[in-house]
Amino acid sequence: MLYCAPNKKYSDFIIVRDPDKCIDCRVCARQCSYEAHVYDESTGKVFSDDTRCVGCHRCEAFCPSGALLIRQNPSEFRDNAVWKPWFIKNIYKQAETGGVLLTGMGNSYPYPVYWDKMLLDASQVTNPSIDPLREPMELKTYLGSKPDALRIDAGSGEVRLAGGFTPQIAINYPILFSAMSYGSINLNVHKGLARAAEEMGILYNTGEGGLHASLYRYGRNTIVQCASGRFGVHSEYLNAGVAVEIKIGQGAKPGIGGHLPGEKIGPEISRTRMIPIGADALSPAPHHDIYSIEDLRQLIYAIKEATDYKKLVFVKIAAVHNSAAIASGMVRAGADVITLDGFRGGTGAAPTMIRDNVGIPIEMALASVDERLRQEGIRNQASLLVAGGIRCSADVVKAIALGADAVYIGTAALISVGCTVCQRCYTGKCPWGIATNDPFLAKRINPEIAHEKLANLIRAWGHEIQEMLGGMGINAIESLRGNREKLRGIGLNESEMNILGIKHAGA
Amino acid sequence: MFNLKRTNHKPWDYRKDISGCGLSGLINTNGKRVSGEVITRSIRTQHDRGNGLGGGFAAYGIYPDFKDHYAVHVMCDSKTALNNFESFLKEVTVIDQQERIPTRASTTIRNAPLLMRYFVKPDLEADNPLFDKGMSEDDFMVRMVMKINLDVPGAFVFSSGRNMGAFKGVGYPEDIADFFRLDEYEGYIWTAHNRFPTNTPGWWGGAHPFTILDWSIVHNGEISSYGINKRYLEMFGYHCTLLTDTEVVAYLLDLLIRRHGLPIEIACLALAPPFWNEVDRMEPERKKLCEAIRMVYASALLNGPFAVLFAFNGGLVGLNDRIKLRPLIAAESGETVYMASEESAIREICPDPDKVWMPKAGEPVVVKLNKTE
Ligand code: SF4
Ligand code: SF4
């Protein structure tokens, strides 16, 4: 073991190397970007330094002889319900550095996951379930603002549509890839996302880092984002996709901005973001032209003007205590789509305290926003997208039953291309080649393979959603949307059920 | 001001009725009226499709002497409820006639509520608490019925249209017909319902038809999209209070046809829209229309197995769900069109129709009246 300060020895993981199996081939040393595996030239042996390991399991997955096992460090402090190791170790770290604790991905505290406290319905006897292998089972969804009523011209004998619509986007599955910027993840992952979105007839979101020149061709499946840093925002960019998303906040770090360190700003990212090579990319906490709701309206309409009213404008906020009132204001300000990002939504980097303590669960925010918009009679004026901790197709079904039009997935998408949720994305050393711009690491993602895996994930979830819908005796996704009758709570208290607008199982 | 209090239940605490059923309906397209005895024979043939927990009828053209009045049928579970109801009604309408709904003593029909009918006109004076300036009489009536059904305990308005009426209760439909003396009424449209509820107690208000203004619905099926249909309607001020899913069909029709002014065919396309793969093959104009309908009325789509007959002063419409999971058959004989769950129910009253056909899934049979007598 290499020397390090005593308190650093309380490593989170231990690397167990089976000496009988290890053939000293140095694969692990090459795979681990944290240099936890070291080859000793003098002895010809590989050994490990547990303190450097972040638990990403890359070496374990690639060890050709299966000699490695990454485990939680079983060494324990004296048991204490208050002073859990997490707090003790964090204090040691901060005493050393004097800095803010950083982390990646979404809230990891054991707050209740309401998806796991809701159960779905199925048909028995009185209505038949529908077999999606034999009957049509429709998942197609239109995003955009809908009028209260259809205007029909039946005068000339033939019935026709009178007047047009504001633009709408058709998606084949109610699942989109959420905003992950070029810079926080690399171009190979972006290519995979764009191609998968194109193949599956859904959308991906550029995030706030601009759009690489090679990705303009996927415009029909692209949402371009405009965040407080306005990186890479220009007129061609705004018109490149089918929608522009104004990012006000992000579930992993409500109320604060973003920071992409200068070391990550290479020539390509510099060109795309329109900032100098090596300069820190700082997104301010608020948009400096939005200090209130009427300012948001101005930005929405500035974007609509700039895009000739051909693109939808999404507005994304973090799920916070007052989401319902805020969302209502956003709809009235002209947003075509409201994106709500819950506190389990991922990030490339966030202060740990913020990630784990600010914001609310997406299930609650979604339920109250949908209900509020209905009470105000404006639910049809905007679509509702939710993000933040959607882990499987059942979560998607539950989200739609609560009232979402579609969901965004970010973490789930990254997991499909290898991410193990080690939560160290902010280091720029992602050993899986995802949250890194180091060319040596980034080439671990092959855009074609990433495309295939992402598309498979959507396909698989699509099948599962169809099965669940069919089981409920429903053959169109719109009959599930907001249909809370299809949900029952399990182990929820009265106020939780009130907010979710559902009954308890058995009722 | 008008305020929809939700006194008795939380917004999400609704129950829906699960039932299988038998339907029958007929319309004389020239507005010639026939006795209620005819439809009674037809629905009796489908006796086994019900379990004695609900039967009902809707009849059109039955109140020619009061054809410009709204005929309000109400059931009350106590004298107090009736008094409360009456004083409310007096406050907001002008009542030109009121009477008990005539009934016949019956051995099979028990526990009947107090049944009254009133021929009213809305009192559109400025001090009417339910009236907003610029509101139509129909809008007013909808609001009034919602208000009573939500806020007057023990009173249920089960029919409120002009020159039409619903008659329903707990029992087999043929017994209900006898109880309400339907053989003494004559109408140019009749619909009938035989109910097989599995989860609701025998409650008079829960029997079909469901009505609002002159829309009446009889329904065989289960609306799996009920949860969202109900929430959608709430956005437009409709409140589902009758603990049944069929109610949403009546309100949806009122919303789409009367308030949004959609032609009946378009409204049917919203309730049971063609599948996307059919839409994709349509002519561009038609395709645009169908896409728009599904976009705007996504929450009005009726999902799950159903066959419904809905009637209004101007016609009768039969509609099936998108994959026809419940039976519906139609027949034509001269100026009369029949629709029923089973062919036998039609042949019982029209042994030799000119034409018998099986309407396709999701394709409405729309029969409009040529002229009223
Ligand atoms: S950081 Fe990852 S690759 Fe490195 S030792 Fe730990 S698990 Fe293996
Ligand atoms: S993207 Fe990479 S660094 Fe981030 S959690 Fe996943 S594996 Fe870890």
Side-chain angles (χ1 to χ4, degrees), chain B residues 233-304:
Chain B
L233 286 163
E234 281 171 354
M235 275 178 51
F236 296 93
Y238 295 90
H239 290 268
C240 300
T241 50
L242 299 182
L243 312 181
T244 163
D245 50 355
T246 308
E247 203 183 4
V248 300
V249 186
Y251 301 158
L252 284 171
L253 290 168
D254 185 59
L255 177 70
L256 268 48
I257 299 175
R258 187 179 61 84
R259 282 174 59 185
H260 290 175
L262 300 182
I264 290 174
E265 291 77 4
I266 301 292
C268 290
L269 278 177
L271 301 184
F275 286 97
W276 287 120
N277 58 15
E278 281 168 58
V279 174
D280 290 343
R281 293 194 301 267
M282 290 174 178
E283 305 282 310
E285 269 302 313
R286 182 83 181 159
K287 182 174 168 185
K288 245 174 72 187
L289 177 70
C290 286
E291 279 173 350
I293 292 171
R294 269 191 89 168
M295 279 186 230
V296 176
Y297 294 111
S299 306
L301 193 158
L302 294 175
N303 224 309

Coordinates of all heavy atoms in Angstrom, one line a residue, chain B residues 233-304:
Chain B
L233 N -63.0 16.1 -17.6 CA -64.3 16.8 -17.5 C -64.3 17.9 -16.4 O -64.9 18.9 -16.5 CB -65.4 15.8 -17.3 CG -65.7 15.0 -18.6 CD1 -66.5 13.8 -18.3 CD2 -66.5 15.9 -19.6
E234 N -63.6 17.6 -15.4 CA -63.5 18.5 -14.2 C -63.0 19.8 -14.7 O -63.3 20.9 -14.1 CB -62.8 17.9 -13.1 CG -63.6 16.9 -12.3 CD -62.8 16.1 -11.3 OE1 -61.5 16.3 -11.2 OE2 -63.4 15.4 -10.5
M235 N -62.0 19.8 -15.6 CA -61.4 21.0 -16.1 C -62.5 21.9 -16.7 O -62.3 23.1 -16.8 CB -60.4 20.8 -17.2 CG -59.0 20.5 -16.6 SD -57.7 20.1 -17.9 CE -57.9 21.4 -19.0
F236 N -63.6 21.3 -17.2 CA -64.6 22.1 -17.8 C -65.9 22.2 -16.9 O -67.0 22.6 -17.4 CB -65.0 21.4 -19.2 CG -63.9 21.4 -20.2 CD1 -63.0 20.3 -20.2 CD2 -63.7 22.5 -21.0 CE1 -62.0 20.3 -21.2 CE2 -62.6 22.5 -21.9 CZ -61.8 21.4 -22.0
G237 N -65.7 21.9 -15.7 CA -66.8 22.2 -14.7 C -67.8 21.0 -14.6 O -68.9 21.2 -13.9
Y238 N -67.5 19.9 -15.1 CA -68.4 18.7 -14.9 C -67.9 17.9 -13.7 O -66.7 17.7 -13.6 CB -68.4 17.8 -16.1 CG -68.9 18.4 -17.4 CD1 -68.1 19.1 -18.3 CD2 -70.3 18.3 -17.7 CE1 -68.5 19.7 -19.4 CE2 -70.7 18.9 -18.9 CZ -69.9 19.5 -19.8 OH -70.4 20.1 -20.9
H239 N -68.8 17.5 -12.9 CA -68.4 16.7 -11.7 C -69.1 15.4 -11.7 O -70.4 15.3 -11.8 CB -68.7 17.5 -10.5 CG -67.8 18.6 -10.4 ND1 -66.6 18.6 -9.7 CD2 -67.8 19.9 -10.9 CE1 -65.9 19.7 -9.9 NE2 -66.7 20.5 -10.6
C240 N -68.4 14.3 -11.7 CA -68.9 13.0 -11.7 C -69.3 12.6 -10.3 O -68.4 12.4 -9.5 CB -67.9 12.0 -12.3 SG -67.5 12.5 -14.0
T241 N -70.6 12.5 -10.1 CA -71.0 12.3 -8.7 C -71.8 11.0 -8.5 O -72.2 10.6 -7.5 CB -72.0 13.4 -8.3 OG1 -73.0 13.5 -9.3 CG2 -71.3 14.7 -8.1
L242 N -72.0 10.3 -9.6 CA -73.0 9.2 -9.6 C -72.3 7.8 -9.4 O -72.9 6.8 -9.5 CB -73.9 9.1 -10.8 CG -74.7 10.4 -11.0 CD1 -75.6 10.2 -12.2 CD2 -75.6 10.6 -9.7
L243 N -71.0 7.9 -9.1 CA -70.2 6.7 -8.8 C -70.3 5.7 -10.0 O -70.3 4.5 -9.8 CB -70.7 5.9 -7.5 CG -70.9 6.8 -6.3 CD1 -71.4 5.9 -5.1 CD2 -69.6 7.5 -5.9
T244 N -70.3 6.2 -11.1 CA -70.3 5.3 -12.3 C -69.5 5.8 -13.4 O -69.4 7.1 -13.5 CB -71.7 5.0 -12.7 OG1 -71.7 4.4 -14.0 CG2 -72.5 6.2 -12.8
D245 N -69.0 5.0 -14.3 CA -68.2 5.4 -15.4 C -69.0 6.0 -16.5 O -68.6 6.8 -17.3 CB -67.2 4.4 -15.8 CG -67.8 3.0 -16.1 OD1 -69.0 2.9 -15.8 OD2 -67.1 2.1 -16.5
T246 N -70.3 5.5 -16.6 CA -71.1 5.9 -17.8 C -71.4 7.4 -17.8 O -71.5 7.9 -18.9 CB -72.4 5.1 -17.7 OG1 -72.1 3.7 -17.5 CG2 -73.2 5.3 -18.9
E247 N -71.4 7.9 -16.6 CA -71.7 9.3 -16.5 C -70.8 10.2 -17.4 O -71.2 11.2 -18.0 CB -71.5 9.7 -15.1 CG -72.1 10.9 -14.6 CD -71.8 11.1 -13.1 OE1 -70.9 10.4 -12.6 OE2 -72.3 12.1 -12.5
V248 N -69.5 9.7 -17.5 CA -68.5 10.5 -18.3 C -68.9 10.6 -19.7 O -68.6 11.6 -20.4 CB -67.1 10.0 -18.1 CG1 -66.6 10.1 -16.7 CG2 -66.8 8.7 -18.7
V249 N -69.5 9.6 -20.2 CA -69.9 9.6 -21.7 C -70.9 10.7 -21.9 O -70.8 11.4 -22.9 CB -70.5 8.2 -22.1 CG1 -70.7 8.2 -23.6 CG2 -69.6 7.1 -21.7
A250 N -71.9 10.8 -21.0 CA -72.9 11.8 -21.2 C -72.2 13.2 -21.2 O -72.5 14.1 -22.0 CB -73.9 11.7 -20.1
Y251 N -71.4 13.4 -20.2 CA -70.8 14.8 -20.1 C -69.8 15.0 -21.3 O -69.7 16.2 -21.8 CB -70.0 14.9 -18.8 CG -70.9 14.7 -17.6 CD1 -70.3 14.3 -16.3 CD2 -72.3 14.8 -17.6 CE1 -71.1 14.1 -15.2 CE2 -73.1 14.6 -16.5 CZ -72.5 14.3 -15.3 OH -73.3 14.0 -14.2
L252 N -69.1 14.0 -21.7 CA -68.2 14.2 -22.9 C -69.0 14.6 -24.1 O -68.6 15.5 -24.8 CB -67.4 12.9 -23.2 CG -66.2 12.6 -22.2 CD1 -65.7 11.2 -22.5 CD2 -65.1 13.7 -22.3
L253 N -70.1 14.0 -24.3 CA -70.9 14.3 -25.5 C -71.4 15.8 -25.4 O -71.4 16.5 -26.3 CB -72.1 13.4 -25.6 CG -71.7 12.0 -26.0 CD1 -72.9 11.0 -25.8 CD2 -71.2 11.9 -27.5
D254 N -71.8 16.1 -24.2 CA -72.3 17.5 -24.0 C -71.2 18.5 -24.3 O -71.4 19.5 -25.0 CB -72.8 17.7 -22.5 CG -73.5 19.0 -22.3 OD1 -74.4 19.4 -23.0 OD2 -73.0 19.8 -21.5
L255 N -70.0 18.2 -23.7 CA -68.9 19.1 -23.9 C -68.5 19.2 -25.4 O -68.4 20.3 -26.0 CB -67.7 18.6 -23.2 CG -66.4 19.4 -23.3 CD1 -66.5 20.7 -22.7 CD2 -65.2 18.6 -22.8
L256 N -68.4 18.0 -26.1 CA -67.9 18.0 -27.4 C -68.9 18.6 -28.4 O -68.6 19.4 -29.3 CB -67.4 16.6 -27.8 CG -66.0 16.2 -27.6 CD1 -65.5 16.6 -26.2 CD2 -65.7 14.8 -27.9
I257 N -70.1 18.1 -28.3 CA -71.1 18.4 -29.3 C -71.8 19.8 -29.0 O -71.8 20.7 -29.9 CB -72.2 17.3 -29.4 CG1 -71.5 16.0 -29.9 CG2 -73.2 17.7 -30.4 CD1 -72.3 14.8 -29.9
R258 N -72.2 19.9 -27.8 CA -73.0 21.2 -27.5 C -72.0 22.4 -27.3 O -72.2 23.4 -27.9 CB -73.9 21.0 -26.3 CG -74.8 22.2 -26.1 CD -75.7 22.0 -24.9 NE -75.0 21.9 -23.7 CZ -74.5 22.8 -22.9 NH1 -74.7 24.1 -23.3 NH2 -73.8 22.6 -21.8
R259 N -71.0 22.2 -26.4 CA -70.2 23.3 -26.1 C -69.1 23.6 -27.1 O -68.8 24.7 -27.4 CB -69.6 23.1 -24.7 CG -70.7 23.5 -23.6 CD -70.3 23.2 -22.2 NE -69.1 23.9 -21.8 CZ -68.5 23.7 -20.6 NH1 -69.0 22.8 -19.8 NH2 -67.5 24.4 -20.3
H260 N -68.5 22.6 -27.6 CA -67.4 22.8 -28.6 C -67.9 22.8 -30.0 O -67.2 23.1 -30.9 CB -66.3 21.8 -28.5 CG -65.5 21.9 -27.2 ND1 -64.5 21.0 -26.8 CD2 -65.5 22.9 -26.2 CE1 -64.0 21.4 -25.7 NE2 -64.6 22.5 -25.3
G261 N -69.2 22.5 -30.2 CA -69.8 22.6 -31.5 C -69.3 21.6 -32.5 O -69.4 21.9 -33.7
L262 N -68.9 20.4 -32.1 CA -68.4 19.5 -33.0 C -69.5 18.7 -33.6 O -70.5 18.4 -32.9 CB -67.4 18.5 -32.4 CG -66.2 19.0 -31.7 CD1 -65.3 17.9 -31.2 CD2 -65.4 19.8 -32.7
P263 N -69.5 18.4 -34.9 CA -70.5 17.5 -35.5 C -70.4 16.1 -34.8 O -69.3 15.7 -34.3 CB -70.0 17.3 -37.0 CG -69.1 18.5 -37.2 CD -68.5 18.8 -35.9
I264 N -71.5 15.4 -34.8 CA -71.6 14.1 -34.1 C -70.5 13.2 -34.5 O -69.8 12.5 -33.7 CB -72.9 13.5 -34.2 CG1 -74.0 14.3 -33.5 CG2 -73.0 12.1 -33.8 CD1 -75.4 13.9 -33.7
E265 N -70.3 13.1 -35.8 CA -69.3 12.2 -36.3 C -67.9 12.5 -35.8 O -67.1 11.6 -35.5 CB -69.2 12.3 -37.9 CG -70.4 11.7 -38.6 CD -71.6 12.7 -38.6 OE1 -71.5 13.8 -38.1 OE2 -72.7 12.2 -39.0
I266 N -67.6 13.8 -35.7 CA -66.3 14.2 -35.1 C -66.2 13.8 -33.7 O -65.2 13.3 -33.2 CB -66.0 15.7 -35.3 CG1 -66.1 16.0 -36.8 CG2 -64.7 16.1 -34.8 CD1 -65.0 15.5 -37.7
A267 N -67.3 14.0 -33.0 CA -67.3 13.7 -31.5 C -67.0 12.2 -31.4 O -66.3 11.8 -30.5 CB -68.6 14.1 -30.9
C268 N -67.6 11.4 -32.2 CA -67.4 9.9 -32.2 C -66.0 9.6 -32.5 O -65.4 8.7 -31.9 CB -68.4 9.2 -33.1 SG -70.1 9.3 -32.6
L269 N -65.4 10.3 -33.4 CA -64.0 10.1 -33.7 C -63.1 10.4 -32.5 O -62.0 9.9 -32.4 CB -63.5 11.0 -34.9 CG -63.9 10.4 -36.3 CD1 -63.4 11.4 -37.4 CD2 -63.2 9.1 -36.5
A270 N -63.5 11.3 -31.7 CA -62.8 11.7 -30.5 C -62.9 10.6 -29.5 O -62.0 10.2 -28.8 CB -63.2 13.0 -30.0
L271 N -64.1 10.1 -29.3 CA -64.4 9.0 -28.3 C -63.8 7.7 -28.7 O -63.3 7.0 -27.8 CB -65.9 8.9 -28.0 CG -66.6 10.1 -27.6 CD1 -68.1 9.8 -27.2 CD2 -65.9 10.8 -26.4
A272 N -63.8 7.4 -29.9 CA -63.3 6.1 -30.4 C -62.5 6.3 -31.7 O -62.9 6.0 -32.8 CB -64.4 5.1 -30.6
P273 N -61.3 6.9 -31.5 CA -60.5 7.3 -32.7 C -59.9 6.2 -33.5 O -59.6 5.1 -32.9 CB -59.4 8.2 -32.2 CG -59.3 7.8 -30.8 CD -60.6 7.3 -30.3
P274 N -59.7 6.3 -34.8 CA -59.0 5.3 -35.5 C -57.6 5.1 -35.0 O -57.0 6.0 -34.5 CB -59.1 5.8 -37.0 CG -59.4 7.2 -36.9 CD -60.1 7.4 -35.6
F275 N -57.0 3.9 -35.2 CA -55.7 3.7 -34.8 C -54.7 4.5 -35.7 O -55.0 4.8 -36.8 CB -55.4 2.2 -34.9 CG -56.0 1.4 -33.8 CD1 -57.2 0.7 -34.0 CD2 -55.4 1.3 -32.6 CE1 -57.8 0.0 -33.0 CE2 -56.0 0.6 -31.5 CZ -57.2 0.0 -31.8
W276 N -53.5 4.7 -35.1 CA -52.5 5.5 -35.9 C -52.2 4.9 -37.2 O -52.0 5.6 -38.2 CB -51.3 5.7 -35.0 CG -51.4 6.7 -33.9 CD1 -51.2 6.4 -32.6 CD2 -51.8 8.1 -34.0 NE1 -51.5 7.6 -31.8 CE2 -51.8 8.6 -32.6 CE3 -52.1 9.0 -35.0 CZ2 -52.1 9.9 -32.3 CZ3 -52.4 10.3 -34.7 CH2 -52.4 10.7 -33.4
N277 N -52.1 3.6 -37.2 CA -51.7 3.0 -38.5 C -52.8 3.2 -39.6 O -52.5 3.2 -40.7 CB -51.3 1.5 -38.3 CG -52.4 0.6 -37.7 OD1 -53.5 1.0 -37.7 ND2 -52.0 -0.5 -37.2
E278 N -54.1 3.3 -39.1 CA -55.1 3.7 -40.1 C -54.9 5.1 -40.5 O -55.0 5.5 -41.7 CB -56.5 3.5 -39.5 CG -57.0 2.1 -39.4 CD -58.3 2.1 -38.6 OE1 -59.2 2.8 -38.9 OE2 -58.2 1.4 -37.5
V279 N -54.7 6.0 -39.5 CA -54.6 7.4 -39.8 C -53.5 7.7 -40.8 O -53.6 8.5 -41.7 CB -54.3 8.2 -38.5 CG1 -54.0 9.6 -38.7 CG2 -55.5 8.0 -37.5
D280 N -52.4 6.9 -40.6 CA -51.2 7.1 -41.5 C -51.5 6.8 -43.0 O -50.9 7.3 -43.9 CB -50.0 6.2 -41.1 CG -49.4 6.7 -39.7 OD1 -49.7 7.9 -39.4 OD2 -48.7 5.9 -39.1
R281 N -52.6 6.0 -43.2 CA -52.9 5.7 -44.6 C -54.0 6.6 -45.2 O -54.4 6.4 -46.3 CB -53.4 4.2 -44.7 CG -52.3 3.2 -44.4 CD -52.7 1.8 -44.8 NE -53.9 1.4 -44.1 CZ -53.9 0.7 -43.0 NH1 -52.8 0.3 -42.4 NH2 -55.1 0.3 -42.4
M282 N -54.4 7.6 -44.4 CA -55.6 8.4 -44.9 C -55.1 9.5 -45.8 O -53.9 9.8 -45.9 CB -56.2 9.1 -43.7 CG -57.0 8.1 -42.8 SD -57.6 9.0 -41.3 CE -58.5 7.7 -40.5
E283 N -56.1 10.1 -46.6 CA -55.8 11.2 -47.4 C -55.3 12.3 -46.5 O -55.7 12.4 -45.3 CB -57.2 11.8 -47.9 CG -58.0 10.8 -48.6 CD -57.5 10.7 -50.0 OE1 -57.3 11.7 -50.7 OE2 -57.3 9.5 -50.5
P284 N -54.4 13.2 -47.0 CA -53.8 14.2 -46.2 C -54.8 15.1 -45.3 O -54.5 15.3 -44.1 CB -53.0 15.1 -47.2 CG -52.9 14.3 -48.4 CD -54.0 13.2 -48.4
E285 N -55.9 15.5 -45.9 CA -56.8 16.4 -45.2 C -57.4 15.6 -44.0 O -57.5 16.1 -42.9 CB -58.0 16.8 -46.1 CG -57.7 18.1 -46.8 CD -57.4 19.3 -45.9 OE1 -58.2 19.5 -44.9 OE2 -56.5 20.1 -46.1
R286 N -57.9 14.4 -44.3 CA -58.5 13.6 -43.3 C -57.5 13.2 -42.2 O -57.8 13.2 -41.0 CB -59.0 12.3 -44.0 CG -59.8 11.3 -43.1 CD -61.2 11.7 -43.0 NE -61.9 10.8 -42.1 CZ -63.1 11.1 -41.5 NH1 -63.6 12.3 -41.7 NH2 -63.7 10.2 -40.7
K287 N -56.3 12.9 -42.7 CA -55.3 12.6 -41.7 C -55.0 13.7 -40.7 O -54.9 13.5 -39.5 CB -54.0 12.3 -42.5 CG -52.8 11.8 -41.6 CD -51.7 11.4 -42.5 CE -50.5 11.3 -41.6 NZ -49.2 10.9 -42.2
K288 N -54.9 14.9 -41.3 CA -54.7 16.1 -40.4 C -55.8 16.2 -39.4 O -55.6 16.5 -38.2 CB -54.7 17.4 -41.3 CG -53.3 18.0 -41.3 CD -53.2 19.2 -42.3 CE -54.0 20.4 -41.8 NZ -54.1 21.5 -42.8
L289 N -57.0 16.0 -39.9 CA -58.2 16.1 -39.0 C -58.1 15.1 -37.9 O -58.3 15.4 -36.7 CB -59.5 15.9 -39.8 CG -60.8 15.9 -39.1 CD1 -61.1 17.3 -38.6 CD2 -61.9 15.4 -39.9
C290 N -57.8 13.8 -38.3 CA -57.8 12.8 -37.3 C -56.7 13.0 -36.3 O -56.8 12.7 -35.1 CB -57.7 11.4 -37.9 SG -59.3 10.9 -38.7
E291 N -55.5 13.4 -36.8 CA -54.4 13.7 -35.8 C -54.8 14.8 -34.9 O -54.6 14.7 -33.7 CB -53.2 14.2 -36.6 CG -52.4 13.1 -37.2 CD -51.3 13.6 -38.1 OE1 -51.3 14.8 -38.4 OE2 -50.4 12.8 -38.5
A292 N -55.4 15.8 -35.4 CA -55.8 17.0 -34.5 C -56.8 16.5 -33.5 O -56.7 16.9 -32.3 CB -56.4 18.1 -35.4
I293 N -57.8 15.7 -33.9 CA -58.8 15.2 -32.9 C -58.1 14.5 -31.8 O -58.4 14.7 -30.6 CB -59.8 14.3 -33.6 CG1 -60.6 15.1 -34.6 CG2 -60.7 13.6 -32.6 CD1 -61.5 14.2 -35.5
R294 N -57.1 13.6 -32.2 CA -56.5 12.8 -31.1 C -55.6 13.7 -30.2 O -55.4 13.4 -29.0 CB -55.7 11.7 -31.7 CG -56.6 10.5 -31.7 CD -55.8 9.2 -32.1 NE -55.3 8.6 -30.9 CZ -54.8 7.3 -30.9 NH1 -54.7 6.7 -32.0 NH2 -54.4 6.8 -29.8
M295 N -55.0 14.7 -30.8 CA -54.2 15.6 -30.0 C -55.0 16.4 -29.0 O -54.7 16.4 -27.8 CB -53.5 16.6 -30.9 CG -52.2 16.1 -31.6 SD -51.5 17.5 -32.4 CE -51.3 16.8 -34.0
V296 N -56.1 17.0 -29.5 CA -56.9 17.9 -28.7 C -57.7 17.1 -27.7 O -57.9 17.4 -26.5 CB -57.8 18.8 -29.5 CG1 -58.6 19.6 -28.6 CG2 -56.9 19.6 -30.4
Y297 N -58.2 15.9 -28.1 CA -59.2 15.2 -27.3 C -58.6 13.9 -26.7 O -59.3 12.9 -26.5 CB -60.5 15.0 -28.0 CG -61.2 16.3 -28.3 CD1 -61.3 16.8 -29.6 CD2 -61.7 17.0 -27.2 CE1 -62.0 18.0 -29.8 CE2 -62.3 18.2 -27.4 CZ -62.5 18.7 -28.7 OH -63.1 19.9 -28.9
A298 N -57.3 13.9 -26.6 CA -56.6 12.7 -26.0 C -57.3 12.2 -24.7 O -57.5 11.0 -24.6 CB -55.1 13.0 -25.8
S299 N -57.7 13.1 -23.9 CA -58.2 12.7 -22.6 C -59.7 12.4 -22.7 O -60.3 12.0 -21.7 CB -58.0 13.8 -21.6 OG -56.7 14.2 -21.5
A300 N -60.3 12.5 -23.9 CA -61.7 12.2 -24.0 C -61.8 10.8 -24.6 O -62.9 10.3 -24.7 CB -62.4 13.2 -24.9
L301 N -60.7 10.2 -25.1 CA -60.8 8.9 -25.7 C -61.4 7.9 -24.7 O -61.0 7.9 -23.5 CB -59.4 8.5 -26.1 CG -59.2 7.2 -27.0 CD1 -57.9 7.3 -27.7 CD2 -59.3 5.9 -26.2
L302 N -62.3 7.1 -25.1 CA -62.9 6.1 -24.2 C -62.2 4.8 -24.5 O -62.3 4.3 -25.5 CB -64.4 6.0 -24.5 CG -65.3 7.2 -24.1 CD1 -66.7 6.9 -24.6 CD2 -65.2 7.5 -22.7
N303 N -61.5 4.3 -23.5 CA -60.8 3.1 -23.6 C -61.5 2.0 -22.8 O -62.1 2.3 -21.8 CB -59.3 3.3 -23.2 CG -58.4 2.7 -24.2 OD1 -58.5 1.5 -24.5 ND2 -57.4 3.4 -24.7
G304 N -61.2 0.8 -23.2 CA -61.9 -0.3 -22.6 C -63.1 -0.8 -23.4 O -63.5 -0.1 -24.4

